[in-house]
Amino acid sequence: MKRYIFVFIFAVFTTGMVGYFALYYKGSENTRRVVSTPLSIDKRDVVLYFSSRDEENLVPEIRQINLKGTLEEQVAEVIRELINGSKDLINTIPDGVKVHGLKIGRDGILSIDFSRELRENHPGGSWSEMLTIYSIVDTVTGNFPDIKKVKMLIEGREIETLVGHIDTKRTLMEKRDIIMDDKMRKG
Amino acid sequence: MKNVSRLFLLLLFLQSVTPSAYGINSIHTGTGLKTIVIDPGHGGSDKGGEGKNGLLEKDVALEVSLSLRQMMLNNLKINVVMTRDGDYDLSLKKRTDMANMSKGDLLISIHTGSSYSRDIKGIRIYYLDYEEVRKEFMVGPSNHEAEADNNGGGEDDVEIILRDMAISDFSNEGGHVAELIQKNLTEIIPDQNVILKSMPILIFRDVNMPSVMIEIGNLTNQDDMMRLKDRKYRDKVAMAILNAVKEYSRVNSGMVTR
Ligand SMILES: [Zn+2]
């Protein structure tokens, strides 16, 4: 699975590079904008995970996003996109949630500090809690292979649980078996 | 110092875990179950889910738990320990500690469900997903508190094996209880949907006993909310759980006769 993601990222990267050179040789006005830092890829396909309509699984939605700057800035952008929500699927992040900050530490642990609305506006059931947590974890680990684990914070503080059922003191690893796509492929 | 405390923890651990890792004699002796821990979800400032009509998860959970306790005391010769018996805050850590200290044979946590959309209804019974817990164990103890004090210190092999056996056992037993509760709920409330689900990082993975968590209806659904308000429905739920525990107890006491 890891290899699969890597190949995917590589493919996206290569496509980005080809696009870049194509634009460059065309000499269009866009070229100036494309050249930023060597690390950044301008337009990228990212996979966001939202809830299925029956609220049983996560479902991938592919979206083209401008990703610029440092890895942390790119992750923040992807999470913003997740918070913006989906038109066809059910949003797993409640209304009004903001990200106060995030940081990638050693061992590829991403800490994300959410605003209190993540808890206060959450419906509260344990399965909804599952979907919220893993839509975040699977989205960031799926798009950024350097991120191995995720630690969730609210208003700068560690939380025992988000809404009472799932241990979020631990750092969280990706969980692919609640993703509909993977299940169907296996079945 | 570190080693001494580790050894002490291991001893404590062996004491609390091995009876059920080997032979499960704490569960299967005498009349089967000796102590049941009932855990009403949420409480105090943590209201849990909330229905449109203002019905709160913490209140429904407590009321059902109290009637379940009464039914158990009336019908079974067992101890019943409540993690909370009033409306106050209680951390998961404290719930876990209370359950472990009471040397319970089974933990039943009572909740109501909530969903993003109002259409989703039904009862859900959750038990620990052993494979998922195991996966995390194999990655190492770099999680949780271990992360802060010592990274990559490496857990004792014996400890890992014992913990692994214990969790696998609790998970199987929990799954069994969950199935019995599903069966009994379906019998007593045939027009309600009852789903079984395994969960990876349930709050009760640190309790040294089998555990199940039941969401007895969805507060965000109109039909379920009306049912949850109804005392008859709540008593039916408690009755189904009681019957399941009775059956579980019978199976266990049967196993001890050789
Ligand atoms: Zn709950």
Side-chain angles (χ1 to χ4, degrees):
Chain A
M1 196 59 219
K2 284 268 156 57
R3 195 172 304 150
Y4 188 84
I5 293 167
F6 180 76
V7 170
F8 175 73
I9 300 290
F10 182 75
V12 170
F13 185 78
T14 324
T15 319
M17 289 308 277
V18 170
Y20 165 78
F21 283 115
L23 281 174
Y24 185 83
Y25 286 115
K26 246 186 179 172
S28 74
E29 299 105 302
N30 281 340
T31 358
R32 213 169 359 100
R33 199 173 52 80
V34 172
V35 184
S36 46
T37 61
L39 255 177
S40 79
I41 306 160
D42 225 22
K43 273 266 184 196
R44 202 182 121 174
D45 278 345
V46 294
V47 184
L48 306 171
Y49 291 99
F50 298 101
S51 165
S52 58
R53 299 222 70 94
D54 63 4
E55 297 186 32
E56 288 293 320
N57 297 97
L58 293 175
V59 179
E61 186 175 302
I62 296 167
R63 213 174 278 180
Q64 280 222 321
I65 308 183
N66 274 318
L67 288 182
K68 290 193 198 110
T70 65
L71 183 56
E72 275 154 356
E73 283 163 351
Q74 295 183 26
V75 174
E77 187 55 41
V78 168
I79 293 173
R80 254 195 298 280
E81 202 65 31
L82 189 68
I83 291 172
N84 286 345
S86 164
K87 263 185 268 160
D88 310 314
L89 299 161
I90 291 182
N91 297 337
T92 49
I93 318 264
D95 291 342
V97 174
K98 289 180 194 71
V99 173
H100 290 322
L102 60 82
K103 134 177 159 245
I104 299 166
R106 64 193 167 86
D107 303 336
I109 296 175
L110 166 73
S111 306
I112 316 174
D113 183 18
F114 290 98
S115 66
R116 66 184 78 243
E117 287 83 3
L118 186 63
R119 171 180 281 158
E120 284 171 5
N121 296 346
H122 197 277
S126 56
W127 199 255
S128 332
E129 188 175 8
M130 264 289 267
L131 293 170
T132 301
I133 289 170
Y134 285 106
S135 70
I136 296 165
V137 174
D138 286 356
T139 295
V140 293
T141 53
N143 289 295
F144 304 98
D146 287 345
I147 296 168
K148 308 290 181 217
K149 288 178 175 182
V150 178
K151 173 93 174 178
M152 288 172 55
L153 306 168
I154 290 183
E155 301 293 334
R157 253 173 282 163
E158 188 180 75
I159 46 169
E160 192 176 38
T161 69
L162 178 57
V163 287
H165 317 95
I166 293 171
D167 184 348
T168 36
K169 259 180 156 172
R170 293 161 207 267
T171 50
L172 302 152
M173 289 188 294
E174 66 170 4
K175 178 173 172 58
R176 308 292 299 181
D177 63 357
I178 50 166
I179 297 170
M180 184 105 78
D181 201 37
D182 279 24
K183 265 193 182 165
M184 287 183 344
R185 244 179 255 152
K186 269 182 217 158
Chain B
M1 191 54 216
K2 184 116 210 174
N3 282 333
V4 174
S5 66
R6 249 174 200 279
L7 188 64
F8 177 69
L9 278 177
L10 179 61
L11 282 174
L12 256 185
F13 191 79
L14 288 173
Q15 207 183 354
S16 56
V17 158
T18 36
S20 79
Y22 301 115
I24 327 180
N25 46 32
S26 75
I27 296 175
H28 300 292
T29 43
T31 54
L33 306 171
K34 278 190 287 190
T35 304
I36 302 234
V37 183
I38 302 177
D39 172 57
H42 312 275
S45 64
D46 173 13
K47 293 182 288 183
E50 185 170 354
K52 246 183 173 172
N53 59 353
L55 195 62
L56 299 179
E57 176 176 4
K58 62 170 186 176
D59 297 332
V60 179
L62 182 61
E63 277 176 52
V64 173
S65 298
L66 287 170
S67 7
L68 178 59
R69 170 169 157 258
Q70 201 49 54
M71 285 183 195
M72 282 184 172
L73 293 175
N74 293 344
N75 290 281
L76 301 166
K77 279 186 188 144
I78 47 165
N79 296 323
V80 180
V81 174
M82 304 277 291
T83 55
R84 74 171 171 100
D85 55 8
D87 185 17
Y88 45 84
D89 284 84
L90 192 63
S91 73
L92 296 179
K93 172 91 174 55
K94 280 208 183 109
R95 291 170 203 258
T96 302
D97 289 348
M98 281 176 80
N100 286 343
M101 248 140 66
S102 71
K103 296 211 161 69
D105 302 305
L106 175 65
L107 181 140
I108 301 171
S109 189
I110 310 277
H111 290 250
T112 60
S114 292
S115 301
Y116 299 106
S117 59
R118 309 223 162 256
D119 306 333
I120 290 168
K121 57 178 184 177
I123 298 176
R124 290 177 187 219
I125 309 167
Y126 299 95
Y127 60 97
L128 196 65
D129 181 346
Y130 167 59
E131 279 311 315
E132 204 68 28
V133 176
R134 185 192 195 127
K135 214 163 70 188
E136 213 179 288
F137 253 111
M138 293 309 151
V139 174
S142 69
N143 261 333
H144 224 202
E145 280 91 39
E147 193 173 15
D149 76 34
N150 181 5
N151 211 18
E155 224 165 324
D156 197 48
D157 284 350
V158 179
E159 194 177 341
I160 289 181
I161 291 165
L162 285 175
R163 186 69 187 150
D164 192 46
M165 286 169 73
I167 291 175
S168 143
D169 180 42
F170 298 151
S171 170
N172 286 338
E173 295 288 317
H176 182 208
V177 176
E179 277 170 19
L180 288 174
I181 294 175
Q182 183 189 37
K183 192 196 89 181
N184 280 283
L185 278 167
T186 315
E187 274 167 27
I188 296 182
I189 318 170
D191 57 338
Q192 176 66 299
N193 196 21
V194 187
I195 309 164
L196 272 189
K197 272 186 177 296
S198 68
M199 283 260 255
I201 41 175
L202 260 184
I203 46 184
F204 296 120
R205 60 192 258 164
D206 292 328
V207 296
N208 297 325
M209 68 201 72
S211 61
V212 288
M213 179 171 87
I214 313 165
E215 290 183 338
I216 63 169
N218 248 12
L219 269 179
T220 42
N221 175 266
Q222 183 68 20
D223 295 346
D224 273 11
M225 190 182 69
M226 295 316 283
R227 294 178 118 157
L228 287 166
K229 254 179 81 175
D230 178 14
R231 164 127 218 164
K232 265 185 256 157
Y233 174 81
R234 299 202 295 234
D235 283 349
K236 278 183 185 172
V237 170
M239 183 61 77
I241 298 171
L242 171 75
N243 290 345
V245 169
K246 267 190 199 164
E247 270 186 61
Y248 180 63
S249 175
R250 258 201 304 274
V251 172
N252 281 328
S253 55
M255 276 170 73
V256 87
T257 50
R258 289 178 188 176

